[in-house]
Amino acid sequence: MDSPHKSRSFSSNMFYLFLLLSSNLLTLFISTTLYSPCSLKPQVQSVAAIGKTADCAPKDPEPAPKVEIVEQFNESESEADLPDEFLAFTSPQQLPLGYNSNFDSDKILPPVGRPCTLFPDMLRQYMSYKVNGSCPDDELLAQKLLLRGCEPLPRRRCRPAAQKEYVEPYPLPDSLWTTPLDSSVVWTAYTCKNYSCLIKRKHTQKGFDDCKDCFNLAGREKTRWTGNGGGLDFSIDEVLKVKKPGTIRIGLDIGGGVATFAVRMRKRNVTILTTSMNLNGPFNNFIASRGVVPLYLSISQRLPFFDNTLDIVHSMHVLSNWIPTKLLHFLIFDIYRVLRPGGLFWLDHFFCEGDQLENIYTPLIESVGFTKVKWVVGRKLDRGPELNEMYLSALLEKPLKNSW
């Protein structure tokens, strides 16, 4: 006969064995439910996968999709690769008087384009200079950084390259239609080294250049937006008649070449700022020399105006099908944002392929919320009819009521 001690020992062993089996079964249950492939998603997804519902049903084997893995930003490693002057500018700056309620902080964080840090070699070259000295003559480098998304460019503590013997510009109103003096430009970045070359380059220079004949003020610029309008070519006076006299006062021209639109509007007491890049030509210098205001701004940058403030926004040729569709959608919404209720968006000679206009761009523009005042479509034939390219000229109004 077993002793009571042996019976209790056997019972304890069975109890611990039961606990062990139970814990193993519980672990198996959790691993096959809470941590199944259907419940624990990969941390990196492709854009196309976002928003799709997981399907846990058995499937035939498929090739694994290519997933772009983005490494987490490592601040300490990244800063080691950045130039000292860049870090000096972008680091938080303590406010001398302490906490400021407007900033809701006791520090200022100077803004700079996040993609700047994606090009450390170019950034290092751009930020290498003698503090309080002269900046390098590096306009091409600066513009390349800007067009790659390094916008705004970081500030620098050096003096920009300038002509040694600058001559004062022509006075207004003569400056509006007079070719500026060559001394107003540092020509290092450009193929042409004077304005005479730029004026003739349509006939002497092969290859493509942005707005190739714009610098010839005696050519096509002389007649742009004049006359009685008609068809795709709206005239300025035709557009201004849409609103009460004097209510179109301030506005913006996006990608405005040499600012002839701003010059014509100036004569009608309308102040227009013109955005332009310097793509193998000193567009910003030329605009300023004429006596109107340039903005050195790419189409990717958020428009630097407060909501509901501008009377008119105009753009010719620049806003077209070369811009990624989603970026164009953001841009047109940004135009809507800065226009006041009742403000006008003049989309001038937008071009695309015929099926794109019907299937992509018309629905895109209509989705923003403008009211159509004028909408004219015509064939674009300069590159041949076989391409089936179309122009759209449209005058759109932000609703005066319920525009939100």
Side-chain angles (χ1 to χ4, degrees):
M1 183 174 179
D2 294 332
S3 67
H5 178 73
K6 288 182 178 181
S7 177
R8 285 195 299 271
S9 176
F10 176 78
S11 299
S12 300
N13 290 338
M14 290 298 294
F15 175 73
Y16 288 125
L17 179 60
F18 173 78
L19 284 179
L20 180 62
L21 288 173
S22 299
S23 63
N24 287 339
L25 287 172
L26 181 60
T27 302
L28 178 62
F29 173 77
I30 293 173
S31 65
T32 56
T33 55
L34 298 180
Y35 295 97
S36 69
C38 288
S39 62
L40 186 60
K41 303 291 190 300
Q43 292 302 308
V44 181
Q45 296 181 346
S46 64
V47 174
I50 296 175
K52 292 186 177 179
T53 303
D55 184 2
C56 300
K59 294 183 178 180
D60 294 331
E62 295 180 357
K66 293 183 178 179
V67 179
E68 182 181 357
I69 298 176
V70 181
E71 294 184 2
Q72 186 176 2
F73 177 68
N74 188 316
E75 186 175 355
S76 60
E77 291 181 6
S78 180
E79 287 192 357
D81 295 332
L82 298 176
D84 292 341
E85 274 296 280
F86 179 80
L87 295 174
F89 171 65
T90 58
S91 298
Q93 305 293 318
Q94 193 74 33
L95 290 169
L97 301 181
Y99 176 84
N100 185 297
S101 59
N102 293 322
F103 292 99
D104 192 23
S105 175
D106 61 351
K107 298 181 180 66
I108 287 181
L109 283 168
V112 69
R114 170 67 179 89
C116 295
T117 60
L118 301 179
F119 309 100
D121 292 339
M122 294 173 61
L123 185 63
R124 186 177 296 105
Q125 184 180 350
Y126 179 72
M127 297 300 293
S128 296
Y129 55 86
K130 182 180 178 181
V131 176
N132 298 329
S134 298
C135 298
D137 185 356
D138 57 0
E139 181 183 338
L140 278 177
L141 173 66
Q143 184 164 261
K144 188 176 292 186
L145 269 171
L146 191 147
L147 290 175
R148 291 189 179 189
C150 184
E151 188 176 24
L153 289 166
R155 285 175 171 168
R156 300 195 289 189
R157 295 185 289 180
C158 56
R159 292 179 287 275
Q163 290 283 49
K164 292 183 178 180
E165 296 182 8
Y166 185 89
V167 179
E168 293 285 346
Y170 293 111
L172 285 166
D174 296 342
S175 63
L176 297 173
W177 290 100
T178 303
T179 301
L181 298 170
D182 292 338
S183 64
S184 62
V185 178
V186 177
W187 294 93
T188 314
Y190 313 117
T191 303
C192 282
K193 304 304 178 185
N194 52 58
Y195 279 121
S196 177
C197 171
L198 287 171
I199 291 170
K200 297 174 184 177
R201 71 176 178 176
K202 181 180 179 181
H203 306 288
T204 60
Q205 184 176 312
K206 295 181 180 180
F208 173 80
D209 265 314
D210 189 52
C211 205
K212 200 167 185 178
D213 60 345
C214 287
F215 293 96
N216 182 8
L217 296 181
R220 285 197 306 166
E221 297 299 306
K222 202 70 177 177
T223 58
R224 286 192 193 274
W225 304 291
T226 60
N228 298 321
L232 292 161
D233 301 316
F234 305 167
S235 72
I236 285 177
D237 292 330
E238 175 187 5
V239 169
L240 292 180
K241 285 179 182 178
V242 170
K243 308 298 290 184
K244 292 180 180 180
T247 59
I248 300 296
R249 308 149 300 156
I250 55 173
L252 176 70
D253 190 15
I254 298 174
V258 293
T260 294
F261 181 80
V263 168
R264 295 205 183 282
M265 293 291 270
R266 187 182 188 278
K267 290 187 175 182
R268 292 160 175 81
N269 296 319
V270 181
T271 300
I272 298 291
L273 276 63
T274 304
T275 76
S276 186
M277 301 300 296
N278 288 341
L279 300 176
N280 204 17
F283 288 91
N284 282 267
N285 299 87
F286 195 91
I287 292 168
S289 292
R290 294 185 78 178
V292 287
V293 181
L295 284 177
Y296 190 52
L297 200 70
S298 81
I299 56 101
S300 300
Q301 175 76 303
R302 187 178 192 265
L303 297 176
F305 305 99
F306 192 66
D307 304 354
N308 306 308
T309 52
L310 301 185
D311 300 315
I312 188 169
V313 174
H314 171 265
S315 184
M316 184 174 185
H317 292 309
V318 173
L319 303 188
S320 292
N321 67 346
W322 71 273
I323 301 175
T325 305
K326 187 174 291 186
L327 179 60
L328 182 65
H329 202 199
F330 273 105
L331 177 52
I332 296 178
F333 261 106
D334 204 26
I335 291 170
Y336 186 93
R337 176 185 65 81
V338 300
L339 282 170
R340 63 166 174 82
L344 298 175
F345 174 31
W346 180 356
L347 184 60
D348 197 349
H349 286 76
F350 177 97
F351 62 85
C352 62
E353 296 176 7
D355 58 341
Q356 290 180 325
L357 181 61
E358 180 180 354
N359 298 326
I360 300 174
Y361 296 111
T362 296
L364 184 150
I365 294 168
E366 289 176 342
S367 74
V368 177
F370 287 108
T371 301
K372 292 180 182 177
V373 179
K374 291 178 68 70
W375 185 277
V376 181
V377 176
R379 298 289 302 277
K380 181 179 184 291
L381 300 171
D382 57 316
R383 299 201 302 163
E386 65 278 2
L387 295 179
N388 190 31
E389 292 182 317
M390 306 296 290
Y391 274 130
L392 166 66
S393 286
L395 187 62
L396 309 169
E397 184 180 40
K398 184 172 180 176
L400 193 61
K401 297 182 180 179
N402 302 318
S403 63
W404 183 23

